[in-house]
Amino acid sequence: EPEVTQTPSHQVTQMGQEVILRCVPISNHLYFYWYRQILGQKVEFLVSFYNNEISEKSEIFDDQFSVERPDGSNFTLKIRSTKLEDSAMYFCASSGLSGRSYNSPLHFGNGTRLTVT
Amino acid sequence: SQELEQSPQSLIVQEGKNLTINCTSSKTLYGLYWYKQKYGEGLIFLMMLQKGGEEKSHEKITAKLDEKKQQSSLHITASQPSHAGIYLCGAGDYNTDKLIFGTGTRLQVFP
């Protein structure tokens, strides 16, 4: 069964450094997402991406964050200058149906655990 | 903003027992999703419910949507250790890409 893959599984970085989290969505999917989960808290929406542009973003997704689909397969999340509070599990997801959340089951990757020291 | 509350927060059952997890929304439910998460892993899609009264089953897991009560329930019949994990409900809306997740229910099944 096709799946969403994320690399690396764990990333440790120092505060102020840039990190890039990588994702390969399911090949025929058109809608891509990043979510995060701070330890012990809920899974939170960061951003959705369709047709090479951001379609929606949350208040968490500030200027320190950016997303890109550099080629036909990868989808990346960049954090420009990491802060301690960015430590979390970051999940990539994709959907083949539509961007709207009421009818669009998301398929998630296994996540990248980001630790900022 | 919409909030999803799950109950119970934690559940420990003996193998073979049935169990139910509830998800209650503060607003009208349109799309309702159930996911399972194992510790340190991603979210596995279980089921999507869209219409009031809708009921879906997959293997020993059944989910129902009660539109009037703004609530969904997930029922596991004859639980097994493989059912252990964290169950999350997620709610969607017509006007957003954003999926709101519940607080999660941690299920442990002992032999």
Side-chain angles (χ1 to χ4, degrees), chain A:
Chain A
E1 186 177 320
E3 56 182 32
V4 176
T5 56
Q6 289 185 243
T7 55
S9 57
H10 193 185
Q11 172 105 37
V12 180
T13 189
Q14 287 191 327
M15 198 166 53
Q17 295 296 305
E18 174 184 285
V19 293
I20 298 176
L21 310 184
R22 301 179 192 281
C23 169
V24 178
I26 294 173
S27 62
N28 61 347
H29 283 185
L30 301 175
Y31 302 88
F32 313 112
Y33 310 82
W34 284 100
Y35 283 75
R36 80 171 185 189
Q37 186 177 33
I38 294 171
L39 189 64
Q41 297 186 23
K42 295 181 187 181
V43 177
E44 304 174 286
F45 170 80
L46 291 178
V47 66
S48 57
F49 190 86
Y50 170 68
N51 201 26
N52 279 321
E53 61 183 26
I54 290 173
S55 50
E56 188 173 341
K57 60 183 180 179
S58 72
E59 59 276 7
I60 303 167
F61 194 88
D62 61 22
D63 293 343
Q64 294 297 319
F65 291 88
S66 62
V67 289
E68 195 178 34
R69 188 155 161 83
D71 53 43
S73 59
N74 290 285
F75 179 51
T76 62
L77 173 70
K78 183 192 288 186
I79 308 175
R80 194 167 65 211
S81 177
T82 50
K83 302 173 192 154
L84 294 175
E85 54 264 37
D86 293 328
S87 295
M89 184 76 98
Y90 288 81
F91 293 108
C92 173
S94 69
S95 170
L97 291 178
S98 81
R100 298 284 93 168
S101 57
Y102 76 98
N103 70 346
S104 179
L106 305 185
H107 297 269
F108 285 83
N110 278 339
T112 293
R113 182 170 297 284
L114 176 66
T115 302
V116 182
T117 61

Side-chain angles (χ1 to χ4, degrees), chain B:
Chain B
S1 61
Q2 187 173 22
E3 295 281 334
L4 292 177
E5 188 165 330
Q6 289 184 235
S7 62
Q9 288 186 340
S10 179
L11 200 50
I12 303 173
V13 300
Q14 188 173 27
E15 185 175 357
K17 296 293 186 188
N18 302 336
L19 63 105
T20 300
I21 298 168
N22 292 305
C23 173
T24 303
S25 173
S26 59
K27 291 188 174 182
T28 302
L29 285 168
Y30 296 105
L32 190 286
Y33 304 84
W34 284 100
Y35 285 88
K36 179 185 174 185
Q37 183 181 26
K38 289 195 169 181
Y39 181 76
E41 297 183 15
L43 283 68
I44 300 166
F45 171 68
L46 297 175
M47 275 172 276
M48 175 175 75
L49 304 166
Q50 286 186 285
K51 300 173 188 174
E54 187 172 14
E55 180 174 321
K56 285 188 177 176
S57 293
H58 176 67
E59 297 177 347
K60 294 186 177 179
I61 301 176
T62 300
K64 298 180 190 179
L65 180 61
D66 187 331
E67 208 170 42
K68 289 180 182 175
K69 289 184 180 177
Q70 296 179 175
Q71 189 176 72
S72 177
S73 60
L74 185 87
H75 184 79
I76 298 177
T77 303
S79 58
Q80 299 168 356
S82 60
H83 288 128
I86 300 170
Y87 288 82
L88 297 171
C89 62
D93 202 342
Y94 285 107
N95 299 315
T96 177
D97 296 350
K98 179 169 62 176
L99 204 58
I100 302 293
F101 282 94
T103 47
T105 296
R106 182 180 295 273
L107 172 64
Q108 295 174 265
V109 181
F110 64 93

